[in-house]
Structure formats: C-alpha cells, structure tokens
Amino acid sequence: MKPSIYITRKLPESIIAPLQKEFEVDMWEHEDVSVPRDVLLHKAESASALLTMLSDKIDRELLQRSPSLRVVANLAVGHDNIDLEAAKELGITICNTPDVLTETTADLTFALLMATARRIVEADRYVKEGKWKSWSPLLLAGLDIHHKTIGILGMGSIGEAVARRAKGFNMNVLYHNRSRKYAVEQDLGVQYATLEKLLTQSDFVVVLAPLNEDTEGMFQEEQFLLMKNTAIFINAARGPIVSEEALEQALKRGDIAGAGLDVFEAEPIDADHPLLKLHQVVALPHIGSSSKETRYGMMALCVENIHAVLKGKKPSTSL
C-alpha cells in the first residue's frame, strides 16, 4: 500500500504531480477556505504526510491520533501552529519554508511601511471616490522615509533584508534581537539597541520577530507610550505579538501616527474590527510572502521535503 499524503488547501496540479506519481495524494477542495478541524483529524489519522498551512492547528491531539504520520511540511517559515515538542516525542519530522520567502517578505514589509507613511491607500481611495477637486499644499501630506531612523525588532534573515532596503533610503537602522549579530552590524552598518532605546528613537518600528513565549503580547500600552507621536508601527510578523486594543488606543490618542499591519491576533480579521475603522491604519490579509514566484517556490519546497522523508532521505529544511 502506497504512503498517503493529505494537503490541507487546494494547490495547483503542476505542484503536486511529482507526489502523485509515487504516493496516494488527497487534497482539500478549496483554495481559500480552511479545512475544518474534524476533517483534518480524520484525514491525518491515516496519512503518512501532511502539507499544511499556518492556519492549520497541528497539536498534540492530532499528532497522537496519526500513527502513520512521518512528516508535516508547513507552507510557511513560521511554525507556531505546530506542537514541536509533541512531534519530536513521536518521531515526526517537521519542515518549513525558510529562505525562499525572505526577499519577498522584505519587499512587502517595506512597501507596507511606505504605504502607511505616505498615505498611499488613503490617496487611492480619495481619487477613486471622486474627492479630488483641487490641489492644496498639504493634501494628504504624509511622512518622509529617507534619512529617518528605522527600528527593527527581530534581526533574522527577513530583518536583514529589510535593513538592506532601509540603507537604500539612507535610513539609520537600529535593531533589537535576542542575541547581538556583530557580523550583521559590520556588514550592514546597523546598530544594536535595547528595546526601550529602539522604541524611543525610531521613526518607524518594524516587528519581524517570531512568535514565542518571549514575544507574545510584547507590545502593550507601555511600549506605544515610549514611541514618538510621529512614529509609524509596522507588524509583518505575527499578530499576537501586539495587543490590538493597546494599539487601537495608542492610535486614537495620537501616541503614534499610524500603523501598517499584515497580521492580526485572529485571522482572518472581521470587517467591523475597530482597527479597520481608523484612517491611519493600512491593513493587509497576511500576504508577506505572496508573490507568485515565492509561493510556488514554497509549495515546491514542501513537496520536495515530503518526498525526501517518505523515501528515507533527509529533507532540505526541517526544524
């Protein structure tokens, strides 16, 4: 009997074709709807491999109920949806998709920063809604980006890529990380800072840290009060790092000038969420790595990793 693979979102046939030649492949029929929990549990019970999305909860219950499971390939660099400890205990290989999405996510992060600072989304709506009747000196005036200070929380590969882009805008780059990166400081000309210094001195605070017990809920009222009232806050990492209630109040009080968000505490976000009612917020549907080239690359890497494990070989990327 061939090993079976369950894919939790509809992917292009061209991507899964290599797996179909050697394995039994079953795939959720929807591209933009998450597989229900009960369906996922049922399918996982007999699967040798899972190709999962960040929205799929791969917890201890699921892993323990899946005796044939050998590998989970997560279509993301993050893995906070997976119980890594349980997987290790059960001998299940967990793979993710780092590196392939680094530059694409950095592009989106910097685009989000620019759109928020220069009020691009507001300006687009202004024109399309027929409000542009004349020109005035301060019409939709935003904030400069060049020669400002950017503070990057989380200097991993994506953080480094954002820092390189910032240097192209002649920005001063501060960073805060769990450990200092002396080689990066030398190569990119960035400066390590305590979190407090980063928050107080930065014109743009960009969150790119992983979600873990140290970063969950890191941004509360206290952190926003430390920031400049002209500062822009960007979160392209994970929603639960930030208290959305604290962010909302900081924006309403004018403690900070604006926010660009690609991630939220609960996703997808409800249309009547209070943050979406604020004109100084630019909101995106978690599309940091969403270019066609990169998403296809991520899918291909997942397929490659699954094939390797099921053939008794070492995957290209594993946790």
Side-chain angles (χ1 to χ4, degrees), residues 4-293:
S4 66
I5 301 165
Y6 185 64
I7 302 173
T8 67
R9 202 64 62 93
K10 185 178 181 180
L11 302 183
E13 289 294 329
S14 60
I15 288 292
I16 65 171
L19 294 177
Q20 290 174 320
K21 293 178 181 179
E22 299 185 63
F23 310 110
E24 295 291 337
V25 178
D26 189 8
M27 183 165 60
W28 178 239
E29 60 186 353
H30 299 290
E31 183 179 341
D32 55 359
V33 178
S34 297
V35 60
R37 174 70 174 177
D38 60 336
V39 174
L40 178 56
L41 286 172
H42 174 68
K43 296 292 186 178
E45 286 178 351
S46 58
S48 301
L50 296 175
L51 197 163
T52 59
M53 309 297 123
L54 196 61
S55 55
D56 301 318
K57 189 176 182 181
I58 311 301
D59 56 9
R60 183 177 291 273
E61 178 194 14
L62 182 146
L63 296 172
Q64 288 180 333
R65 289 175 54 171
S66 309
S68 302
L69 192 59
R70 295 168 57 187
V71 56
V72 177
N74 211 36
L75 191 74
V77 65
H79 45 79
D80 43 277
N81 59 314
I82 300 175
D83 189 330
L84 296 182
E85 184 178 345
K88 184 177 181 180
E89 291 173 9
L90 295 165
I92 299 169
T93 301
I94 305 297
C95 303
N96 65 342
T97 58
D99 302 329
V100 66
L101 53 69
T102 296
E103 298 297 335
T104 300
T105 305
D107 282 348
L108 189 282
T109 301
F110 212 83
L112 184 55
L113 181 154
M114 295 178 70
T116 308
R118 293 301 306 272
R119 302 174 67 180
I120 300 296
V121 176
E122 280 184 85
D124 176 78
R125 290 174 181 163
Y126 189 83
V127 173
K128 290 179 178 178
E129 292 172 1
K131 296 178 180 177
W132 188 26
K133 303 301 183 182
S134 65
W135 184 89
S136 63
L138 291 176
L139 175 64
L140 289 160
L143 299 170
D144 278 336
I145 299 160
H146 61 86
H147 295 94
K148 294 290 186 70
T149 295
I150 182 174
I152 300 174
L153 177 65
M155 190 56 81
S157 58
I158 298 172
E160 292 178 28
V162 169
R164 289 194 296 272
R165 285 156 177 76
K167 283 296 181 177
F169 281 73
N170 294 307
M171 299 182 83
N172 175 44
V173 181
L174 304 179
Y175 80 95
H176 182 76
N177 203 58
R178 185 163 50 184
S179 57
R180 284 191 67 169
K181 295 198 166 183
Y182 295 97
V184 174
E185 292 176 26
Q186 177 109 20
D187 292 343
L188 298 181
V190 301
Q191 304 170 36
Y192 176 82
T194 63
L195 180 59
E196 181 175 348
K197 179 180 178 181
L198 183 148
L199 294 177
T200 57
Q201 295 191 6
S202 296
D203 299 295
F204 299 91
V205 173
V206 180
V207 181
L208 292 167
L211 176 63
N212 53 44
E213 59 184 17
D214 294 324
T215 61
E216 185 170 6
M218 175 180 283
F219 278 83
Q220 303 289 336
E221 180 182 19
E222 176 186 355
Q223 283 67 44
F224 290 116
L225 286 172
L226 288 171
M227 292 170 61
K228 299 178 180 180
N229 60 12
T230 54
I232 299 290
F233 178 78
I234 303 294
N235 188 5
R238 288 292 181 269
I241 293 174
V242 181
S243 164
E244 291 178 354
E245 182 179 356
L247 175 58
E248 177 194 349
Q249 295 307 314
L251 288 163
K252 287 181 175 179
R253 289 193 304 261
D255 299 333
I256 62 174
L261 308 171
D262 187 40
V263 291
F264 298 88
E265 287 183 305
E267 297 177 357
I269 189 171
D270 197 87
D272 63 0
H273 192 289
L275 281 173
L276 301 187
K277 301 183 186 304
L278 301 178
H279 70 87
Q280 65 270 53
V281 172
V282 175
L284 304 179
H286 203 150
I287 56 170
S289 62
S290 189
S291 71
K292 291 183 179 179
E293 298 92 334

